[in-house]
Amino acid sequence: MAKGYGSYQNQYDKNKPIDPVPEKVSIKTFYKAADNNTADKVIRSDLFDAVAEKIAVSFGNKKDGVSYTQLRRMYDEAKRFEQLLDADEKNWEKELPYIKMMKSKIRYAVARAVKDKGKYVEDYYKNFASFISDCIDLIHDEQDYRVFISLFEAVCGFYYENAPKN
């Protein structure tokens, strides 16, 4: 029991044992053809279903994992750029560097989460960071970005069911 704080116990035990963390899901392409530069890009039929669900599972479960608030924060950040692009098509070249900056923001979020919650959530957050980084690396044009947003939305939907309830 902590001195001076009655029987309050921190909700996160930084040393608690964890269940095996699902492996991260690597995304090599959003499209059926391996060549993302083709004019006729056809989105993988399993991308927003089976792949999105596997990604969501790799972020954790009802006990442990990425907080749904953190997931939504990153999704909202990504979605913000979509609104800017909808307002003016000419914004793509201007916004692309800021979209790429999401990789550094997710790494910062992971470092903070591990510091605050402990090592037991590190693998879940690393899976989350890998998802963001892998997808950002696949973005070469506005269509790629919009596919990423749709995939992220599907992942959020699947994750909500299993998100840790804090």
Side-chain angles (χ1 to χ4, degrees):
M1 183 181 308
K3 291 184 180 179
Y5 294 101
S7 63
Y8 175 78
Q9 181 179 357
N10 189 350
Q11 71 184 34
Y12 303 112
D13 180 356
K14 295 183 180 199
N15 299 313
K16 78 178 195 176
I18 60 168
D19 297 330
V21 176
E23 289 185 34
K24 79 173 188 144
V25 178
S26 294
I27 300 175
K28 307 257 188 267
T29 182
F30 297 136
Y31 305 103
K32 285 184 180 181
D35 180 12
N36 289 346
N37 297 320
T38 61
D40 243 359
K41 295 180 181 179
V42 178
I43 298 169
R44 294 171 49 184
S45 61
D46 65 341
L47 190 64
F48 303 137
D49 185 27
V51 174
E53 188 171 14
K54 281 183 184 177
I55 292 166
V57 167
S58 76
F59 295 168
N61 54 49
K62 290 182 193 259
K63 280 189 335 189
D64 300 313
V66 175
S67 75
Y68 190 71
T69 303
Q70 188 62 261
L71 185 76
R72 280 301 303 207
R73 188 174 294 134
M74 288 305 295
Y75 174 72
D76 291 344
E77 173 76 9
K79 193 75 171 163
R80 182 176 67 86
F81 294 111
E82 185 179 49
Q83 293 168 345
L84 293 170
L85 295 172
D86 288 344
D88 184 1
E89 294 174 357
K90 297 174 188 165
N91 278 341
W92 173 249
E93 291 297 321
K94 185 176 120 184
E95 297 302 331
L96 183 59
Y98 297 102
I99 291 169
K100 300 276 185 181
M101 192 170 108
M102 286 182 63
K103 289 170 61 173
S104 69
K105 289 180 178 186
I106 190 63
R107 289 195 178 123
Y108 173 79
V110 168
R112 288 291 308 261
V114 171
K115 181 180 176 198
D116 293 345
K117 295 182 178 184
K119 287 288 224 184
Y120 77 94
V121 296
E122 184 174 22
D123 290 332
Y124 296 118
Y125 274 89
K126 282 184 176 181
N127 288 348
F128 182 37
S130 290
F131 163 68
I132 299 291
S133 293
D134 290 352
C135 287
I136 295 294
D137 288 343
L138 294 175
I139 297 173
H140 303 293
D141 58 29
E142 190 172 340
Q143 180 182 350
D144 297 340
Y145 172 73
R146 291 187 186 273
V147 171
F148 163 62
I149 289 298
S150 295
L151 175 60
F152 205 164
E153 181 179 3
V155 168
C156 286
F158 282 117
Y159 190 63
Y160 183 75
E161 178 181 20
N162 292 316
K165 307 295 186 240
N166 295 331

